[in-house]
């Protein structure tokens, strides 16, 4: 009897483990499709890619997701109910303007509705903007507005150069997402206006919200005014006292957990 109980327990544990270990985290490649010219003189995708190991990439954050059991993927086309199915975390970073892409894929009302329905059913959406000179905000706000969020046309925490890191310092206190990180670096970030049930998570030195979280149906949205977890600021380059590495781990843990917002 005990052996049967052990086998059943092991079987159930295996199912739970597979469910947790197999969560798919998808990075948008449709709204952000920046290119650069490589050594061969050919255009090449770059900026906020899982596979990009340069300062511009998300390879460090991707490794954190994988260490916590997630499966990484990318979405090269517009989000629909069909291609969002099975995704647990969907990350949209720095949508292109014509400055960055001559033929940008702007977020449409249909895209926003498809994403909102996916979140409502339990999806976890991460929205990462940028300062207004480096991101397309009007159409991004079509999506953000679905959740009581609005990325403002401004710049917080302006940092001139590496001699002024403290100008990008953001202090964290009593935070249910970032539980042990105490100071993070976020430079040239836009603020976020909140309505409804949206909650401020991080604020700039002048008290403006620069990261927020909101529950929508069964899902969750984490919004931040900068793509601040790219390699340049989680690779150990920051001065001692900044906890971007720790914050990246804690945000990843939160996104892959099943906890409620106030836990």
């Amino acid at each position: 009897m005990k052996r049967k109980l052990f086998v059943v327990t092991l079987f159930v544990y295996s199912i739970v483990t597979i469910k947790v270990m197999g969560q798919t985290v998808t990075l948008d490649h449709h709204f952000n499709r920046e290119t650069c010219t490589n050594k061969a003189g050919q255009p090449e995708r770059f900026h906020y890619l899982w596979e990009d190991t340069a300062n511009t990439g998300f390879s460090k954050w991707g490794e954190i997701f994988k260490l916590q059991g997630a499966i990484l993927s990318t979405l090269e086309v517009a989000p629909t109910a069909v291609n969002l199915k099975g995704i647990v975390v969907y990350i949209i970073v720095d949508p292109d303007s014509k400055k960055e892409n001559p033929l940008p894929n702007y977020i449409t009302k249909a895209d926003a509705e498809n994403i909102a329905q996916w979140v409502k059913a339990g999806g976890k959406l991460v929205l990462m903007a940028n300062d207004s000179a480096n991101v397309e905000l009007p159409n991004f706000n079509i999506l953000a507005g679905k959740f009581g969020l609005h990325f403002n046309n401004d710049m917080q925490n302006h940092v001139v150069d590496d001699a002024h890191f403290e100008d990008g310092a953001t202090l964290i206190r009593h935070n249910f997402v970032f539980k042990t990180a105490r100071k993070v670096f976020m430079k040239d970030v836009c603020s976020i206006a909140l309505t409804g049930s949206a909650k401020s998570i991080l604020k700039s030195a002048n008290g403006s919200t620069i990261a927020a979280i909101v529950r929508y149906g069964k899902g969750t949205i984490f919004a931040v005014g900068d793509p601040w977890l790219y390699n340049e600021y989680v690779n150990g380059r920051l001065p001692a006292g900044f906890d971007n590495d720790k914050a990246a781990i804690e945000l990843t843990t939160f996104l892959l957990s099943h906890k409620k917002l106030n836990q």
Side-chain angles (χ1 to χ4, degrees):
M1 185 65 180
K2 288 183 179 179
R3 180 176 178 78
K4 287 183 180 180
L5 181 60
F6 172 76
V7 171
V8 171
T9 302
L10 181 61
F11 177 70
V12 172
Y13 174 77
S14 298
I15 292 175
V16 172
T17 301
I18 290 171
K19 185 177 180 181
V20 171
M21 296 294 285
Q23 295 187 89
T24 299
V25 178
T26 298
L27 183 61
D28 161 68
H29 281 192
H30 179 68
F31 304 117
N32 179 275
R33 296 185 67 85
E34 293 181 66
T35 61
C36 63
T37 303
N38 61 23
K39 293 181 179 179
Q42 300 297 318
E44 182 178 90
R45 288 292 310 279
F46 88 116
H47 232 174
Y48 316 126
L49 307 177
W50 292 136
E51 62 271 21
D52 184 357
T53 58
N55 278 347
T56 52
F58 269 147
S59 62
K60 296 288 186 183
W61 195 19
E63 286 300 319
I64 295 171
F65 273 114
K66 289 193 289 185
L67 284 172
Q68 296 200 26
I71 299 169
L72 303 183
S73 72
T74 59
L75 186 60
E76 300 280 352
V77 296
T80 65
V82 173
N83 55 35
L84 289 174
K85 187 175 181 180
I87 295 173
V88 174
V89 179
Y90 180 37
I91 305 170
I92 301 176
V93 187
D94 189 33
D96 293 338
S97 65
K98 287 188 177 181
K99 171 186 172 183
E100 300 166 314
N101 183 340
L103 296 171
N105 294 314
Y106 293 139
I107 295 174
T108 66
K109 290 182 179 179
D111 296 328
E113 182 60 25
N114 289 335
I115 295 169
Q117 290 304 313
W118 169 80
V119 174
K120 191 175 183 178
K124 296 176 182 178
L125 177 66
V126 179
L127 302 177
M128 292 180 152
N130 211 327
D131 66 276
S132 58
N134 291 293
V135 64
E136 198 285 323
L137 288 181
N139 292 285
F140 200 16
N141 277 324
I142 292 175
L143 174 58
K146 289 276 189 181
F147 314 113
L149 304 166
H150 183 89
F151 293 107
N152 295 316
N153 185 14
D154 64 5
M155 182 188 293
Q156 306 287 326
N157 290 10
H158 180 52
V159 179
V160 177
D161 54 33
D162 285 0
H164 298 84
F165 276 113
E166 284 299 324
D167 291 342
T170 297
L171 302 180
I172 305 173
R173 294 185 179 88
H174 308 297
N175 196 305
F176 60 86
V177 176
F178 306 107
K179 295 184 177 180
T180 61
R182 290 293 173 261
K183 184 172 76 169
V184 295
F185 181 76
M186 299 178 76
K187 68 175 267 190
D188 296 357
V189 52
C190 73
S191 65
I192 307 172
L194 310 179
T195 57
S197 60
K199 300 178 180 180
S200 180
I201 291 294
L202 298 175
K203 292 187 177 183
S204 64
N206 69 9
S208 298
T209 293
I210 53 177
I213 196 164
V214 59
R215 184 80 171 174
Y216 186 80
K218 296 180 180 179
T220 303
I221 303 93
F222 179 88
V224 60
D226 190 72
W228 63 303
L229 294 180
Y230 54 98
N231 293 347
E232 186 175 3
Y233 299 118
V234 292
N235 63 4
R237 191 176 83 84
L238 293 173
F242 285 100
D243 297 326
N244 283 39
D245 298 6
K246 190 181 295 184
I249 294 171
E250 293 179 331
L251 177 59
T252 301
T253 300
F254 176 80
L255 293 171
L256 296 178
S257 74
H258 300 287
K259 294 181 179 180
K260 296 180 180 179
L261 294 186
N262 59 355
Q263 290 183 312

